[in-house]
Amino acid sequence: MALKGQKTTSDFLEWEKMQSIVLKLERDNDLKFALLIATGSYIGLRISDLLQLRWNQVLNQDYFTITEKKTKKTRKVTINPELQTILSRLFVQLKASESDLMFANRTGDKPFSIQYVNSKLKDIFAKYKVRGQYSSHFMRKTLGRRVWEVNKYSDQALLLLSQLFNHSSVSTTKIYLGIREQEISNLYLSV
């Protein structure tokens, strides 16, 4: 695990594998991490913003607005109906209150620390035998790769993802998503 403030790299998860892990965590009663992985993968916020969410921002809502901690930019986040189903189900199972932090620590008054999340994710991926290098950033990358895949690996999808992630250029987004040179070549050949 990296020290606080140290840069790390993280892989993405294939969408179906992410969904499978969420279901396994729910089955194994690790509800908060099922919630964290699902929410993070569907909305793609940075972990610092994700950990600040409260139930009343997302539950039974079509969208919410957030000012991103890193960029100070305001962002409107649309909530996918599949995520809304997961949120509703886990809200009941967790016996949460709408004013609660979604990812509260044991005392309930503060969110999980990023270091705790990264350590727990490492344990989760080891438990479910998922190979790769994962940190809390994998959820954001998982969303990016899913959007790119669903949009048939298009340049338009990369452009929109670049805007979504507040990247300075599409080339930054390509690097961020781990798009290899061969995949880029194949993209051009498929046009």
Side-chain angles (χ1 to χ4, degrees), residues 144-169:
R145 288 297 288 233
R146 176 65 174 174
V147 168
W148 191 50
E149 174 188 323
V150 166
N151 288 280
K152 300 183 183 356
Y153 309 101
S154 71
D155 286 341
Q156 178 68 17
L158 289 173
L159 180 62
L160 292 172
L161 284 167
S162 179
Q163 292 172 348
L164 176 77
F165 292 145
N166 286 321
H167 288 161
S168 58
S169 69

Side-chain angles (χ1 to χ4, degrees), residues 86-160:
I86 295 167
L87 293 171
S88 297
R89 185 174 67 236
L90 290 174
F91 177 75
V92 170
Q93 289 180 46
L94 285 163
K95 299 180 176 104
S97 169
E98 287 192 20
S99 61
D100 290 348
L101 283 165
M102 291 174 65
F103 309 108
N105 64 11
R106 284 189 208 125
T107 60
D109 59 341
K110 291 183 180 173
F112 295 149
S113 73
I114 295 171
Q115 292 77 21
Y116 170 72
V117 169
N118 285 327
S119 175
K120 179 81 171 168
L121 287 173
K122 184 178 177 183
D123 294 343
I124 287 168
F125 288 119
K127 176 180 179 179
Y128 297 121
K129 296 176 178 44
V130 178
R131 292 184 180 202
Q133 187 170 336
Y134 297 98
S135 70
S136 56
H137 222 59
F138 92 88
M139 296 172 278
R140 200 166 149 86
K141 289 184 175 190
T142 297
L143 172 68
R145 288 297 288 233
R146 176 65 174 174
V147 168
W148 191 50
E149 174 188 323
V150 166
N151 288 280
K152 300 183 183 356
Y153 309 101
S154 71
D155 286 341
Q156 178 68 17
L158 289 173
L159 180 62
L160 292 172

Side-chain angles (χ1 to χ4, degrees), residues 23-129:
L23 291 173
K24 287 175 183 177
L25 287 166
E26 196 172 344
R27 174 199 69 201
D28 295 343
N29 207 36
D30 197 341
L31 302 178
K32 283 195 179 179
F33 271 83
L35 177 67
L36 181 76
I37 291 171
T39 305
S41 297
Y42 274 96
I43 64 177
L45 289 175
R46 288 179 186 88
I47 191 69
S48 58
D49 296 321
L50 187 62
L51 293 175
Q52 300 301 319
L53 291 177
R54 293 188 179 273
W55 283 103
N56 58 10
Q57 289 177 273
V58 298
L59 196 62
N60 302 317
Q61 303 293 324
D62 294 328
Y63 69 90
F64 65 96
T65 305
I66 188 168
T67 301
E68 294 179 323
K69 191 174 182 178
K70 181 177 178 179
T71 64
K72 309 290 186 245
K73 292 180 182 177
T74 301
R75 181 170 153 200
K76 179 180 174 182
V77 179
T78 301
I79 302 172
N80 181 295
E82 289 177 25
L83 175 60
Q84 197 55 254
T85 300
I86 295 167
L87 293 171
S88 297
R89 185 174 67 236
L90 290 174
F91 177 75
V92 170
Q93 289 180 46
L94 285 163
K95 299 180 176 104
S97 169
E98 287 192 20
S99 61
D100 290 348
L101 283 165
M102 291 174 65
F103 309 108
N105 64 11
R106 284 189 208 125
T107 60
D109 59 341
K110 291 183 180 173
F112 295 149
S113 73
I114 295 171
Q115 292 77 21
Y116 170 72
V117 169
N118 285 327
S119 175
K120 179 81 171 168
L121 287 173
K122 184 178 177 183
D123 294 343
I124 287 168
F125 288 119
K127 176 180 179 179
Y128 297 121
K129 296 176 178 44

